[in-house]
C-alpha cells in the first residue's frame, strides 16, 4: 500500500486492508488493529500519521513471516487529546467495528480512559505515546501494555545526570494534566532522593502559545535547573522562548524531561544545543536502528522516526506474532502469549514484559550536539550513557498494580 493512501486514511479514520496476497487460512482469525493518536495537535509530530506508517511497517513485516496468509486490517483515528473523544472511538471500534487491539494513544488522559474500556471488553491495548505510570500501577490491566517510555524512565536518568553534575535546585514548568503531573512528581522524587531541592513549580494549559509568565517565574526563582515537564509543541515553544528570555545565558540549566526527534527538528540545533534528555530509541544508535529508520523514512514523508513511532512498530509486531502463535484474537489469550514470547525487533534492547504490563528495555541519555559538531541532516544527538532496563523503570516491588503479587 502506498503511503499517501495510508496518510489520507489516517486523517479520515478509514480502514485500510493490508496484505492482499494469499487468502487467509481457515484457522487464522482476521485481525483489525486501530491506531488511536493525535493527528493534528501538539503530539502529532511524535505520533500522528507517523504512528500509522509505523504500524503499517509492522503489519507488512509480519505478513512476510509469521502472519503469512492472515487478513489484517488497519484503522486509525484522531483522539484530539480529549479523553471523551478517545474513549468514544475506542468503544465504537470494539463494539461495532471488530477492532481487536489499539496502539499508540499519545495522550495520558486518553490512555487511562481507553485502558478501562479495553479491560472491560477484553481487548489488547498498547501504549507507546502516553507517559503516566498509572497505566502500570493502580490502573494496570491484564490486557494492557506500556511499551516505550513513561514518566519514571524520563525522570530517573535525567535527574541523576543533572543533580550529579551540580544541578541541585529545580523549578518545574509543567503541563496541567495527568502526564505533566506524573512527570513532575516522579522527577521531584528522584531529585530529592539525590539530595536536590525544589524551588517551585508552575502549571500551564495544554497547547500554550505563550510561556512568558511561566518562564519569568522560573527565572526569578533563581533555581539552578529549569525543568520542562511537558511535550510536543509545548516543549518546542517553551525551549524557544527560554532562549529568548536568556535563561541559559543567565546561568540556569534548561532540561527537557520529554523531547522527541520531531521536536529537535522543529527547534533546530541553534535552539536545542546542549539539552540533555532521555530517549528509548534513536535512529542512529546502531546498524539495526539505522536500517529500520531508513525504511520508515522512505515510507513516511522523508522523516526519521520518533521513539513513539518506533514503539508502535515494536508493539504491533509483537502483538501480531502473538496472534499468529495462538491463532486467536481473544484479549487474554493473546496478552498471555505476548508476555511469554521474547521481544525481538530492531527497536529495543534487552526487552521483556513484566506482570504489571510494563515493557522494560534499555533507555539512553543523550545530549543535543552543537551545530558545529553535527554532520548534517538528522545528526542531532550524541549518546552520553545507557540506562540498563532493570534501572530505567519503576521497580516492580514498588508497583501498586493488583496483578503483581507482593512478597
Amino acid at each position: 500500500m502506498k503511503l499517501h493512501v495510508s496518510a489520507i486514511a489516517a486523517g479520515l479514520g478509514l480502514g485500510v486492508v493490508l496484505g492482499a496476497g494469499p487468502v487467509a487460512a481457515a484457522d487464522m482469525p482476521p485481525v483489525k488493529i486501530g491506531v488511536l493518536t493525535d493527528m493534528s495537535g501538539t503530539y502529532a509530530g511524535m505520533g500522528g500519521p507517523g504512528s500509522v506508517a509505523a504500524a503499517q511497517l509492522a503489519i507488512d513485516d509480519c505478513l512476510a513471516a509469521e502472519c503469512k496468509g492472515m487478513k489484517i486490517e488497519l484503522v486509525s483515528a484522531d483522539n484530539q487529546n480529549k479523553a471523551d473523544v478517545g474513549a468514544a472511538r475506542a468503544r465504537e471500534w470494539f463494539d461495532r467495528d471488530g477492532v481487536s487491539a489499539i496502539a499508540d494513544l499519545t495522550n495520558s488522559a486518553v490512555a487511562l480512559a481507553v485502558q478501562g474500556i479495553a479491560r472491560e471488553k477484553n481487548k489488547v491495548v498498547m501504549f507507546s505515546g502516553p507517559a503516566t505510570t498509572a497505566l502500570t500501577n493502580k490502573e494496570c490491566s491484564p490486557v494492557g501494555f506500556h511499551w516505550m517510555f513513561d514518566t519514571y524512565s524520563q525522570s530517573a536518568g535525567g535527574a541523576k545526570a543533572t543533580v550529579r553534575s551540580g544541578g541541585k535546585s529545580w523549578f518545574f514548568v509543567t503541563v496541567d494534566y495527568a502526564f505533566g503531573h506524573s512527570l513532575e512528581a516522579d522527577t521531584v522524587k528522584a531529585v530529592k532522593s539525590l539530595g536536590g531541592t525544589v524551588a517551585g513549580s508552575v502549571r500551564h494549559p495544554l497547547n500554550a502559545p505563550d510561556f512568558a509568565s511561566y518562564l519569568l517565574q522560573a527565572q526569578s526563582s533563581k533555581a539552578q535547573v529549569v525543568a520542562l515537564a511537558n511535550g510536543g509543541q509545548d516543549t518546542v515553544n517553551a525551549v524557544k522562548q527560554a532562549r529568548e528570555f536568556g535563561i541559559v545565558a543567565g546561568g540556569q540549566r534548561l532540561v527537557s524531561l520529554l523531547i522527541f526527534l520531531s521536536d529537535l527538528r522543529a527547534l533546530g540545533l541553534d535552539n536545542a544545543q546542549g539539552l540533555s534528555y532521555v530517549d528509548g530509541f534513536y535512529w542512529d544508535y546502531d546498524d539495526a536502528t539505522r536500517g529500520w529508520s531508513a525504511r520508515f523514512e522512505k515510507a513516511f514523508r522523508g522523516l526519521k522516526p520518533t521513539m513513539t513511532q518506533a514503539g508502535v512498530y515494536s508493539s504491533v509486531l509483537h502483538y501480531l506474532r502473538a496472534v499468529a502463535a495462538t491463532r486467536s484474537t481473544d484479549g487474554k489469550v493473546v496478552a498471555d502469549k505476548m508476555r511469554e514470547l521474547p521481544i525481538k525487533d530492531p527497536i529495543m534492547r534487552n526487552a521483556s514484559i513484566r506482570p504489571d504490563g510494563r515493557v522494560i528495555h534499555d533507555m539512553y541519555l543523550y545530549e543535543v550536539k552543537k551545530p558545529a559538531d553535527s554532520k548534517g541532516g538528522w545528526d542531532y544527538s550524541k549518546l552520553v550513557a545507557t540506562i540498563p532496563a532493570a534501572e530505567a523503570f519503576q521497580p516492580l516491588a514498588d508497583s501498586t498494580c493488583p496483578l503483581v503479587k507482593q512478597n
Side-chain angles (χ1 to χ4, degrees):
M1 186 183 70
K2 293 182 179 179
L3 177 67
H4 69 274
V5 176
S6 175
I8 293 171
L12 297 178
L14 300 179
V16 182
V17 178
L18 301 181
V23 177
D27 60 345
M28 295 297 287
V31 182
K32 184 180 285 190
I33 298 172
V35 174
L36 188 56
T37 186
D38 176 5
M39 289 294 187
S40 57
T42 190
Y43 302 137
M46 62 90 154
S51 288
V52 182
Q56 176 185 325
L57 286 176
I59 293 169
D60 289 345
D61 286 351
C62 202
L63 283 171
E66 297 94 336
C67 299
K68 190 173 183 179
M70 289 173 56
K71 179 182 179 182
I72 304 174
E73 187 176 353
L74 176 65
V75 295
S76 59
D78 189 350
N79 63 38
Q80 300 177 38
N81 290 309
K82 296 177 180 178
D84 58 340
V85 172
R89 180 50 62 95
R91 195 174 292 278
E92 181 181 77
W93 274 353
F94 291 149
D95 291 345
R96 189 193 71 183
D97 298 336
V99 168
S100 57
I102 295 178
D104 193 355
L105 281 303
T106 58
N107 179 290
S108 290
V110 175
L112 288 168
V114 174
Q115 175 90 305
I117 297 169
R119 185 192 301 112
E120 171 195 338
K121 303 291 182 180
N122 188 33
K123 304 290 186 179
V124 170
V125 63
M126 302 165 288
F127 308 102
S128 295
T132 179
T133 54
L135 290 165
T136 51
N137 279 287
K138 64 180 180 179
E139 300 297 333
C140 71
S141 165
V143 290
F145 300 92
H146 205 164
W147 212 263
M148 179 52 77
F149 65 96
D150 59 29
T151 54
Y152 185 97
S153 71
Q154 298 311 113
S155 63
K160 286 179 182 178
T162 304
V163 172
R164 288 172 179 171
S165 62
K168 299 290 187 179
S169 61
W170 290 57
F171 187 95
F172 292 85
V173 178
T174 303
V175 63
D176 193 12
Y177 80 101
F179 151 61
H181 302 169
S182 183
L183 185 55
E184 179 183 328
D186 283 340
T187 309
V188 166
K189 184 177 179 180
V191 167
K192 289 184 175 179
S193 72
L194 295 164
T197 60
V198 177
S201 66
V202 63
R203 291 179 173 174
H204 68 83
L206 186 65
N207 298 322
D210 186 0
F211 282 82
S213 64
Y214 313 119
L215 292 171
L216 283 172
Q217 291 180 63
Q219 202 167 36
S220 63
S221 74
K222 307 298 183 182
Q224 294 169 311
V225 178
V226 176
L228 303 178
N230 50 22
Q233 191 58 45
D234 283 334
T235 299
V236 172
N237 291 341
V239 171
K240 286 182 177 179
Q241 291 177 42
R243 296 289 185 189
E244 293 171 3
F245 275 79
I247 284 180
V248 176
Q252 291 175 296
R253 296 190 194 184
L254 189 64
V255 172
S256 174
L257 297 175
L258 182 61
I259 197 164
F260 297 90
L261 190 66
S262 53
D263 303 327
L264 297 180
R265 182 172 182 266
L267 282 165
L269 291 179
D270 285 337
N271 285 315
Q273 60 182 302
L275 274 176
S276 294
Y277 68 100
V278 174
D279 209 325
F281 174 87
Y282 184 59
W283 73 270
D284 199 25
Y285 178 77
D286 61 17
D287 288 343
T289 60
R290 284 188 285 271
W292 183 80
S293 297
R295 290 180 58 209
F296 180 92
E297 184 177 14
K298 184 177 180 180
F300 187 65
R301 305 177 182 175
L303 301 177
K304 295 291 188 187
T306 67
M307 68 168 163
T308 294
Q309 292 156 352
V312 170
Y313 171 87
S314 177
S315 63
V316 170
L317 181 61
H318 194 69
Y319 168 77
L320 288 172
R321 285 171 171 167
V323 171
T326 59
R327 299 179 179 271
S328 172
T329 56
D330 178 85
K332 179 67 165 57
V333 171
V334 176
D336 287 347
K337 180 57 69 172
M338 289 175 70
R339 286 181 168 87
E340 177 186 323
L341 291 174
I343 298 174
K344 293 183 178 180
D345 58 43
I347 306 304
M348 299 195 296
R349 305 292 174 270
N350 300 315
S352 61
I353 302 176
R354 301 192 316 198
D356 58 356
R358 176 66 260 178
V359 179
I360 65 169
H361 53 96
D362 292 349
M363 296 288 289
Y364 310 97
L365 180 65
Y366 282 97
E367 182 180 300
V368 180
K369 294 181 176 182
K370 296 177 181 179
D373 295 332
S374 173
K375 298 176 182 177
W378 293 90
D379 184 26
Y380 293 136
S381 304
K382 61 181 179 181
L383 180 64
V384 175
T386 297
I387 308 167
E391 299 176 12
F393 298 91
Q394 175 187 324
L396 190 60
D398 295 340
S399 176
T400 58
C401 172
L403 301 174
V404 177
K405 294 180 180 179
Q406 302 292 351
N407 295 326

